[in-house]
PDB file of all heavy atoms in Angstrom:
ATOM      1  N   LEU C   1      77.613  45.937  62.149  1.00 92.00           N
ATOM      2  CA  LEU C   1      76.675  44.818  62.208  1.00 92.00           C
ATOM      3  C   LEU C   1      76.982  43.792  61.116  1.00 92.00           C
ATOM      4  O   LEU C   1      76.986  42.586  61.364  1.00 92.00           O
ATOM      5  CB  LEU C   1      75.245  45.333  62.051  1.00 92.00           C
ATOM      6  CG  LEU C   1      74.506  45.749  63.313  1.00 92.00           C
ATOM      7  CD1 LEU C   1      73.189  46.427  62.958  1.00 92.00           C
ATOM      8  CD2 LEU C   1      74.236  44.546  64.208  1.00 92.00           C
ATOM      9  N   GLU C   2      77.221  44.277  59.928  1.00 92.00           N
ATOM     10  CA  GLU C   2      77.511  43.380  58.811  1.00 92.00           C
ATOM     11  C   GLU C   2      78.752  42.541  59.101  1.00 92.00           C
ATOM     12  O   GLU C   2      78.787  41.335  58.827  1.00 92.00           O
ATOM     13  CB  GLU C   2      77.706  44.184  57.529  1.00 92.00           C
ATOM     14  CG  GLU C   2      77.937  43.326  56.298  1.00 92.00           C
ATOM     15  CD  GLU C   2      78.102  44.155  55.044  1.00 92.00           C
ATOM     16  OE1 GLU C   2      77.210  44.963  54.748  1.00 92.00           O
ATOM     17  OE2 GLU C   2      79.135  43.988  54.357  1.00 92.00           O
ATOM     18  N   ASP C   3      79.785  43.173  59.672  1.00 94.00           N
ATOM     19  CA  ASP C   3      81.022  42.465  59.991  1.00 94.00           C
ATOM     20  C   ASP C   3      80.809  41.412  61.074  1.00 94.00           C
ATOM     21  O   ASP C   3      81.489  40.374  61.086  1.00 94.00           O
ATOM     22  CB  ASP C   3      82.099  43.450  60.455  1.00 94.00           C
ATOM     23  CG  ASP C   3      82.554  44.388  59.341  1.00 94.00           C
ATOM     24  OD1 ASP C   3      82.339  44.035  58.157  1.00 94.00           O
ATOM     25  OD2 ASP C   3      83.099  45.458  59.653  1.00 94.00           O
ATOM     26  N   ALA C   4      79.857  41.666  61.989  1.00 96.00           N
ATOM     27  CA  ALA C   4      79.633  40.757  63.112  1.00 96.00           C
ATOM     28  C   ALA C   4      78.727  39.580  62.754  1.00 96.00           C
ATOM     29  O   ALA C   4      78.796  38.521  63.386  1.00 96.00           O
ATOM     30  CB  ALA C   4      79.032  41.524  64.289  1.00 96.00           C
ATOM     31  N   LEU C   5      77.881  39.762  61.756  1.00 96.00           N
ATOM     32  CA  LEU C   5      76.969  38.689  61.357  1.00 96.00           C
ATOM     33  C   LEU C   5      77.700  37.638  60.534  1.00 96.00           C
ATOM     34  O   LEU C   5      78.719  37.915  59.903  1.00 96.00           O
ATOM     35  CB  LEU C   5      75.799  39.264  60.551  1.00 96.00           C
ATOM     36  CG  LEU C   5      74.810  40.129  61.335  1.00 96.00           C
ATOM     37  CD1 LEU C   5      73.899  40.888  60.384  1.00 96.00           C
ATOM     38  CD2 LEU C   5      73.981  39.276  62.301  1.00 96.00           C
ATOM     39  N   GLU C   6      77.145  36.436  60.533  1.00 95.00           N
ATOM     40  CA  GLU C   6      77.773  35.335  59.818  1.00 95.00           C
ATOM     41  C   GLU C   6      76.760  34.577  58.966  1.00 95.00           C
ATOM     42  O   GLU C   6      75.551  34.632  59.220  1.00 95.00           O
ATOM     43  CB  GLU C   6      78.433  34.354  60.810  1.00 95.00           C
ATOM     44  CG  GLU C   6      79.540  34.961  61.653  1.00 95.00           C
ATOM     45  CD  GLU C   6      80.115  33.967  62.643  1.00 95.00           C
ATOM     46  OE1 GLU C   6      79.519  32.866  62.803  1.00 95.00           O
ATOM     47  OE2 GLU C   6      81.154  34.267  63.242  1.00 95.00           O
ATOM     48  N   GLY C   7      77.272  33.864  57.966  1.00 95.00           N
ATOM     49  CA  GLY C   7      76.455  32.962  57.175  1.00 95.00           C
ATOM     50  C   GLY C   7      75.248  33.614  56.532  1.00 95.00           C
ATOM     51  O   GLY C   7      75.319  34.715  55.982  1.00 95.00           O
ATOM     52  N   ARG C   8      74.112  32.916  56.638  1.00 96.00           N
ATOM     53  CA  ARG C   8      72.889  33.397  56.000  1.00 96.00           C
ATOM     54  C   ARG C   8      72.440  34.727  56.569  1.00 96.00           C
ATOM     55  O   ARG C   8      71.915  35.576  55.834  1.00 96.00           O
ATOM     56  CB  ARG C   8      71.776  32.352  56.152  1.00 96.00           C
ATOM     57  CG  ARG C   8      70.500  32.737  55.431  1.00 96.00           C
ATOM     58  CD  ARG C   8      69.463  31.646  55.471  1.00 96.00           C
ATOM     59  NE  ARG C   8      68.877  31.477  56.792  1.00 96.00           N
ATOM     60  CZ  ARG C   8      67.775  30.750  57.031  1.00 96.00           C
ATOM     61  NH1 ARG C   8      67.173  30.128  56.036  1.00 96.00           N
ATOM     62  NH2 ARG C   8      67.299  30.620  58.247  1.00 96.00           N
ATOM     63  N   ASP C   9      72.636  34.944  57.877  1.00 96.00           N
ATOM     64  CA  ASP C   9      72.211  36.207  58.487  1.00 96.00           C
ATOM     65  C   ASP C   9      72.932  37.394  57.859  1.00 96.00           C
ATOM     66  O   ASP C   9      72.341  38.457  57.664  1.00 96.00           O
ATOM     67  CB  ASP C   9      72.466  36.180  59.999  1.00 96.00           C
ATOM     68  CG  ASP C   9      71.515  35.249  60.726  1.00 96.00           C
ATOM     69  OD1 ASP C   9      70.418  35.000  60.200  1.00 96.00           O
ATOM     70  OD2 ASP C   9      71.869  34.776  61.816  1.00 96.00           O
ATOM     71  N   LYS C  10      74.211  37.214  57.533  1.00 95.00           N
ATOM     72  CA  LYS C  10      74.952  38.298  56.890  1.00 95.00           C
ATOM     73  C   LYS C  10      74.401  38.583  55.498  1.00 95.00           C
ATOM     74  O   LYS C  10      74.263  39.754  55.107  1.00 95.00           O
ATOM     75  CB  LYS C  10      76.447  37.949  56.790  1.00 95.00           C
ATOM     76  CG  LYS C  10      77.260  38.989  56.033  1.00 95.00           C
ATOM     77  CD  LYS C  10      78.744  38.696  56.067  1.00 95.00           C
ATOM     78  CE  LYS C  10      79.328  39.096  57.410  1.00 95.00           C
ATOM     79  NZ  LYS C  10      80.811  39.168  57.370  1.00 95.00           N
ATOM     80  N   VAL C  11      74.052  37.545  54.761  1.00 96.00           N
ATOM     81  CA  VAL C  11      73.497  37.729  53.414  1.00 96.00           C
ATOM     82  C   VAL C  11      72.153  38.453  53.489  1.00 96.00           C
ATOM     83  O   VAL C  11      71.883  39.370  52.709  1.00 96.00           O
ATOM     84  CB  VAL C  11      73.341  36.369  52.698  1.00 96.00           C
ATOM     85  CG1 VAL C  11      72.710  36.573  51.318  1.00 96.00           C
ATOM     86  CG2 VAL C  11      74.695  35.680  52.556  1.00 96.00           C
ATOM     87  N   ILE C  12      71.300  38.039  54.437  1.00 95.00           N
ATOM     88  CA  ILE C  12      70.004  38.704  54.615  1.00 95.00           C
ATOM     89  C   ILE C  12      70.204  40.181  54.914  1.00 95.00           C
ATOM     90  O   ILE C  12      69.544  41.049  54.328  1.00 95.00           O
ATOM     91  CB  ILE C  12      69.208  38.037  55.750  1.00 95.00           C
ATOM     92  CG1 ILE C  12      68.777  36.622  55.357  1.00 95.00           C
ATOM     93  CG2 ILE C  12      67.975  38.872  56.112  1.00 95.00           C
ATOM     94  CD1 ILE C  12      68.157  35.826  56.481  1.00 95.00           C
ATOM     95  N   PHE C  13      71.108  40.473  55.825  1.00 93.00           N
ATOM     96  CA  PHE C  13      71.354  41.861  56.228  1.00 93.00           C
ATOM     97  C   PHE C  13      71.855  42.689  55.043  1.00 93.00           C
ATOM     98  O   PHE C  13      71.448  43.836  54.857  1.00 93.00           O
ATOM     99  CB  PHE C  13      72.359  41.899  57.373  1.00 93.00           C
ATOM    100  CG  PHE C  13      72.559  43.269  57.955  1.00 93.00           C
ATOM    101  CD1 PHE C  13      71.632  43.804  58.834  1.00 93.00           C
ATOM    102  CD2 PHE C  13      73.671  44.023  57.624  1.00 93.00           C
ATOM    103  CE1 PHE C  13      71.807  45.072  59.372  1.00 93.00           C
ATOM    104  CE2 PHE C  13      73.854  45.289  58.148  1.00 93.00           C
ATOM    105  CZ  PHE C  13      72.920  45.820  59.031  1.00 93.00           C
ATOM    106  N   LYS C  14      72.726  42.103  54.231  1.00 92.00           N
ATOM    107  CA  LYS C  14      73.258  42.820  53.072  1.00 92.00           C
ATOM    108  C   LYS C  14      72.167  43.087  52.030  1.00 92.00           C
ATOM    109  O   LYS C  14      72.150  44.147  51.400  1.00 92.00           O
ATOM    110  CB  LYS C  14      74.423  42.036  52.463  1.00 92.00           C
ATOM    111  CG  LYS C  14      75.677  42.060  53.326  1.00 92.00           C
ATOM    112  CD  LYS C  14      76.737  41.093  52.847  1.00 92.00           C
ATOM    113  CE  LYS C  14      77.407  41.552  51.584  1.00 92.00           C
ATOM    114  NZ  LYS C  14      78.557  40.669  51.224  1.00 92.00           N
ATOM    115  N   VAL C  15      71.251  42.139  51.845  1.00 93.00           N
ATOM    116  CA  VAL C  15      70.140  42.357  50.911  1.00 93.00           C
ATOM    117  C   VAL C  15      69.292  43.538  51.383  1.00 93.00           C
ATOM    118  O   VAL C  15      68.908  44.407  50.594  1.00 93.00           O
ATOM    119  CB  VAL C  15      69.274  41.088  50.791  1.00 93.00           C
ATOM    120  CG1 VAL C  15      67.973  41.399  50.044  1.00 93.00           C
ATOM    121  CG2 VAL C  15      70.029  39.989  50.056  1.00 93.00           C
ATOM    122  N   LEU C  16      69.006  43.578  52.699  1.00 90.00           N
ATOM    123  CA  LEU C  16      68.179  44.647  53.244  1.00 90.00           C
ATOM    124  C   LEU C  16      68.886  46.002  53.212  1.00 90.00           C
ATOM    125  O   LEU C  16      68.298  47.014  52.843  1.00 90.00           O
ATOM    126  CB  LEU C  16      67.778  44.317  54.684  1.00 90.00           C
ATOM    127  CG  LEU C  16      66.768  43.180  54.872  1.00 90.00           C
ATOM    128  CD1 LEU C  16      66.729  42.751  56.330  1.00 90.00           C
ATOM    129  CD2 LEU C  16      65.392  43.603  54.397  1.00 90.00           C
ATOM    130  N   SER C  17      70.144  46.026  53.606  1.00 85.00           N
ATOM    131  CA  SER C  17      70.837  47.311  53.765  1.00 85.00           C
ATOM    132  C   SER C  17      71.401  47.862  52.461  1.00 85.00           C
ATOM    133  O   SER C  17      71.541  49.074  52.314  1.00 85.00           O
ATOM    134  CB  SER C  17      71.964  47.170  54.790  1.00 85.00           C
ATOM    135  OG  SER C  17      72.949  46.250  54.341  1.00 85.00           O
ATOM    136  N   ARG C  18      71.734  46.997  51.518  1.00 84.00           N
ATOM    137  CA  ARG C  18      72.353  47.467  50.280  1.00 84.00           C
ATOM    138  C   ARG C  18      71.379  47.587  49.110  1.00 84.00           C
ATOM    139  O   ARG C  18      71.592  48.390  48.210  1.00 84.00           O
ATOM    140  CB  ARG C  18      73.500  46.525  49.888  1.00 84.00           C
ATOM    141  CG  ARG C  18      74.614  46.483  50.923  1.00 84.00           C
ATOM    142  CD  ARG C  18      75.813  45.746  50.422  1.00 84.00           C
ATOM    143  NE  ARG C  18      76.846  45.677  51.441  1.00 84.00           N
ATOM    144  CZ  ARG C  18      78.089  45.240  51.224  1.00 84.00           C
ATOM    145  NH1 ARG C  18      78.426  44.858  50.014  1.00 84.00           N
ATOM    146  NH2 ARG C  18      78.963  45.199  52.204  1.00 84.00           N
ATOM    147  N   CYS C  19      70.341  46.767  49.120  1.00 86.00           N
ATOM    148  CA  CYS C  19      69.408  46.781  47.993  1.00 86.00           C
ATOM    149  C   CYS C  19      68.089  47.462  48.311  1.00 86.00           C
ATOM    150  O   CYS C  19      67.366  47.857  47.410  1.00 86.00           O
ATOM    151  CB  CYS C  19      69.144  45.352  47.514  1.00 86.00           C
ATOM    152  SG  CYS C  19      70.637  44.493  46.977  1.00 86.00           S
ATOM    153  N   GLY C  20      67.729  47.549  49.582  1.00 82.00           N
ATOM    154  CA  GLY C  20      66.569  48.317  49.993  1.00 82.00           C
ATOM    155  C   GLY C  20      65.199  47.781  49.652  1.00 82.00           C
ATOM    156  O   GLY C  20      64.266  48.567  49.498  1.00 82.00           O
ATOM    157  N   PRO C  21      64.997  46.451  49.539  1.00 88.00           N
ATOM    158  CA  PRO C  21      63.625  45.986  49.343  1.00 88.00           C
ATOM    159  C   PRO C  21      62.832  46.138  50.632  1.00 88.00           C
ATOM    160  O   PRO C  21      63.417  46.280  51.714  1.00 88.00           O
ATOM    161  CB  PRO C  21      63.805  44.499  49.006  1.00 88.00           C
ATOM    162  CG  PRO C  21      65.049  44.117  49.746  1.00 88.00           C
ATOM    163  CD  PRO C  21      65.944  45.329  49.663  1.00 88.00           C
ATOM    164  N   ARG C  22      61.518  46.145  50.535  1.00 87.00           N
ATOM    165  CA  ARG C  22      60.712  46.087  51.739  1.00 87.00           C
ATOM    166  C   ARG C  22      60.985  44.747  52.417  1.00 87.00           C
ATOM    167  O   ARG C  22      61.314  43.761  51.759  1.00 87.00           O
ATOM    168  CB  ARG C  22      59.229  46.220  51.416  1.00 87.00           C
ATOM    169  CG  ARG C  22      58.854  47.579  50.821  1.00 87.00           C
ATOM    170  CD  ARG C  22      57.352  47.641  50.539  1.00 87.00           C
ATOM    171  NE  ARG C  22      56.960  48.959  50.042  1.00 87.00           N
ATOM    172  CZ  ARG C  22      56.938  49.307  48.760  1.00 87.00           C
ATOM    173  NH1 ARG C  22      57.286  48.412  47.839  1.00 87.00           N
ATOM    174  NH2 ARG C  22      56.571  50.507  48.396  1.00 87.00           N
ATOM    175  N   ALA C  23      60.820  44.716  53.731  1.00 87.00           N
ATOM    176  CA  ALA C  23      61.128  43.501  54.483  1.00 87.00           C
ATOM    177  C   ALA C  23      60.341  42.306  53.959  1.00 87.00           C
ATOM    178  O   ALA C  23      60.886  41.214  53.773  1.00 87.00           O
ATOM    179  CB  ALA C  23      60.829  43.720  55.964  1.00 87.00           C
ATOM    180  N   GLY C  24      59.046  42.519  53.703  1.00 90.00           N
ATOM    181  CA  GLY C  24      58.213  41.423  53.213  1.00 90.00           C
ATOM    182  C   GLY C  24      58.650  40.918  51.849  1.00 90.00           C
ATOM    183  O   GLY C  24      58.479  39.740  51.523  1.00 90.00           O
ATOM    184  N   GLU C  25      59.238  41.810  51.041  1.00 93.00           N
ATOM    185  CA  GLU C  25      59.736  41.418  49.726  1.00 93.00           C
ATOM    186  C   GLU C  25      61.015  40.608  49.845  1.00 93.00           C
ATOM    187  O   GLU C  25      61.191  39.601  49.156  1.00 93.00           O
ATOM    188  CB  GLU C  25      59.979  42.660  48.870  1.00 93.00           C
ATOM    189  CG  GLU C  25      58.740  43.485  48.585  1.00 93.00           C
ATOM    190  CD  GLU C  25      59.046  44.858  47.999  1.00 93.00           C
ATOM    191  OE1 GLU C  25      60.234  45.253  47.996  1.00 93.00           O
ATOM    192  OE2 GLU C  25      58.095  45.524  47.554  1.00 93.00           O
ATOM    193  N   ALA C  26      61.913  41.045  50.730  1.00 93.00           N
ATOM    194  CA  ALA C  26      63.214  40.405  50.869  1.00 93.00           C
ATOM    195  C   ALA C  26      63.102  38.951  51.302  1.00 93.00           C
ATOM    196  O   ALA C  26      63.866  38.096  50.856  1.00 93.00           O
ATOM    197  CB  ALA C  26      64.070  41.188  51.871  1.00 93.00           C
TER     198      ALA C  26
END
């Protein structure tokens, strides 16, 4: 998924999957 996403969506996904904040926090 990370490889397929681009731009801001990839950054959002990496914040969620690698750092683990709650969605509302991210």
Side-chain angles (χ1 to χ4, degrees):
L1 271 171
E2 183 179 305
D3 293 340
L5 291 167
E6 298 178 350
R8 184 174 72 167
D9 289 335
K10 175 174 282 195
V11 178
I12 292 172
F13 186 78
K14 289 170 73 173
V15 169
L16 289 166
S17 63
R18 298 190 182 189
C19 300
R22 295 181 177 90
E25 298 167 350

